[in-house]
Structure formats: structure tokens, C-alpha cells
Amino acid sequence: MEEHDAAVTAIGATAKTLLVTPGTWTLANDVTIPANIHLQLVPGAVISVNTTKVLTINGSFEAPAQQVFSGVGAVLFGPGLVTPIQPVWWGATANGTTDDTVAAQAALNAVPAVGGTVAFIRGTYLIGSSLAVKSHTTVIIAAVGIAVVVYATF
């Protein structure tokens, strides 16, 4: 992801779109996307955040309804710029058989401190343990089509 660090620096204070192309882009350092940059991930683009690293997105964000984040590091969104946050961005399958707990919790953890929305879009989400929801967080089930959240014990 060094290329993206260089792109953020080159953009400076100008309002621009940073397009993330297909492939897996690994963050080995903390990265902050400033408010003037619109971060757009195209289909097939994945940002992998290494352990203990944080990707902070303070600008607007656009991504397809598919996995765009991986790794065990954190992704945090700035206030009011992403609506709604989707667990599928962290790999939730919503197929009713795969445990989607980790992906759902990652989406809930990405909500800004001032609040935000997490939407469970079409499918059946298998949740194997309790989820922690921050205050000022709205959770939408069935934002598009029909969604079911199933709590299961493993």
C-alpha cells in the first residue's frame, strides 16, 4: 500500500478520488485518508490491514457489496461520510452456514464515535456470539431485499 501512501501525499489538500484497483493491497503501517479524498474501491480490490495497524478513512468512501477489507487490523470511518457500513466489506457471506460474527463485529467497530449505520443487506447472517454495538449506532436489517440474522451456538 506504499503506492497509496505516496498518492495521498501527492494529492495534498486538493479534493480528489483515490481509486484502488483490483488486487490485494497490504497496509504495513497506519494510514489515514484525509477528508478531501474520496476513497473508491473497484470490484476485486481488497485492502488488507496488518495486525495492530489502523486504516482511518476521514473522506467519503465507495465500494461494491463484496469483501474489500481483510486482515486483523482495524478500519475506522470518520463521521457522516459512509452510510451505511456493510459487514460484507469484511467478508460476511450471508449464506446461513458460514459464521459471519467476525465480519459483523468488524463493521460495528468501524462506526465513528459520533455514530453511524451498519446495514445487513440481503441474505442470512450466522452470528455465533454476542455483538458489541457502540452507542449512537443504527443497525438496519434488510436494507436491500430480505436479511435474516441468526444467532447460533458453536
Side-chain angles (χ1 to χ4, degrees):
M1 190 86 175
E2 291 177 12
E3 296 88 354
H4 290 84
D5 292 341
V8 169
T9 300
I11 289 170
T14 308
K16 296 276 184 178
T17 296
L18 179 56
L19 186 68
V20 181
T21 57
T24 299
W25 303 91
T26 301
L27 290 181
N29 299 305
D30 294 335
V31 173
T32 298
I33 305 296
N36 63 299
I37 296 178
H38 171 77
L39 184 61
Q40 180 180 354
L41 281 77
V42 299
V46 175
I47 298 175
S48 179
V49 184
N50 284 351
T51 305
T52 73
K53 301 307 174 194
V54 179
L55 169 61
T56 303
I57 303 169
N58 289 321
S60 57
F61 179 78
E62 181 180 348
Q66 65 183 53
Q67 184 169 8
V68 294
F69 300 120
S70 68
V72 295
V75 176
L76 303 173
F77 288 102
L81 298 170
V82 176
T83 301
I85 296 169
Q86 301 178 36
V88 295
W89 291 341
W90 282 268
T93 61
N95 65 10
T97 59
T98 303
D99 186 1
D100 292 322
T101 306
V102 171
Q105 189 61 65
L108 290 164
N109 291 346
V111 172
V114 297
T117 302
V118 174
F120 289 81
I121 59 173
R122 182 178 314 208
T124 301
Y125 295 81
L126 185 61
I127 305 299
S129 61
S130 298
L131 297 172
V133 180
K134 297 176 186 176
S135 60
H136 307 293
T137 298
T138 300
V139 177
I140 297 174
I141 298 176
V144 177
I146 297 172
V148 177
V149 178
V150 177
Y151 180 81
T153 303
F154 294 100

